[in-house]
Amino acid sequence: MPLPRFDRLPPERQELILGVARRHFAEHGTEGASYNKIIEASKVSKTAAYHYFDGREDLLTAVLDGVLERLLGALGPWVPARDEADLRSRFAAGSAALAAHLRDHPEDLALADAAIGRTHTGPWLDWFGALVTDGQRIGVIRTDVDHGLLVSATAAVIRAADAWALARMTAEPLAEAADFPEGEASAQLWCLLHGLWGGAVTMAATTAGEDPTDAH
């Protein structure tokens, strides 16, 4: 995390430095971006830079924290559902909002997998904890498995689906739109969650070819 002297900079100066770093990490990768080039492009001296961050990894952590914060902002807080259809609708709406954010913010798209992948605790997992707890409350999600294990497994399945979708958005966004039926990605993810959650989720809509997102 940034050192105290960075926190005392004006917000616009902080955002300028983090924005330059985010662009470099997005363009060159979290392993390939040069700390010296980021410092140079930010127009700060090396001496000042080491008063703001402990080093390259510290700066990368601050950038990925910002990416994760925006992803969570796009998802929004989990709101308790009335029933299974409402839970499915809220989940689909959150997923759609997240996908729209990533399409509009290519730097966040490039760094999303790195930002999500390093979070084994914290607010990202808390979002899935709220989802699982709510699903159990209304009888959609099994209760015979440890809650923490189910939360981690749910997050892992959704992360795998996100990584698959992100790869498609990064590599061939136009081909995805042209070749992949609308709603098919959501239907496939819902099938995976159905198996994980113990078969409580209704499969009729999916097997009948109905887009689960139609619930909203």
Side-chain angles (χ1 to χ4, degrees), residues 54-108:
D54 272 336
R56 182 183 181 284
E57 292 306 308
D58 198 30
L59 174 59
L60 174 60
T61 296
V63 167
L64 295 181
D65 283 347
V67 172
L68 191 63
E69 183 178 349
R70 285 187 293 280
L71 299 186
L72 285 167
L75 272 174
W78 179 260
V79 177
R82 296 185 300 276
D83 50 30
E84 179 185 332
D86 192 37
L87 181 139
R88 192 169 57 199
S89 174
R90 293 181 189 281
F91 180 78
S95 297
L98 181 60
H101 172 86
L102 292 171
R103 289 192 186 97
D104 294 340
H105 299 82
E107 291 172 357
D108 284 357

Side-chain angles (χ1 to χ4, degrees), residues 105-149:
H105 299 82
E107 291 172 357
D108 284 357
L109 172 61
L111 295 171
D113 197 43
I116 295 170
R118 69 195 177 88
T119 58
H120 303 294
T121 59
W124 184 257
L125 211 57
D126 290 345
W127 194 92
F128 293 101
L131 165 65
V132 169
T133 298
D134 197 35
Q136 291 176 326
R137 177 184 62 82
I138 60 177
V140 173
I141 298 177
R142 65 197 304 167
T143 58
D144 60 335
V145 176
D146 178 81
H147 182 270
L149 176 59

Side-chain angles (χ1 to χ4, degrees), residues 183-195:
E184 182 67 16
S186 295
Q188 291 195 20
L189 173 58
W190 209 250
C191 284
L192 290 173
L193 292 176
H194 168 260

Side-chain angles (χ1 to χ4, degrees), residues 40-60:
E40 181 182 354
S42 301
K43 301 187 185 305
V44 299
S45 68
K46 285 188 178 180
T47 301
Y50 282 100
H51 286 152
Y52 299 154
F53 301 96
D54 272 336
R56 182 183 181 284
E57 292 306 308
D58 198 30
L59 174 59
L60 174 60

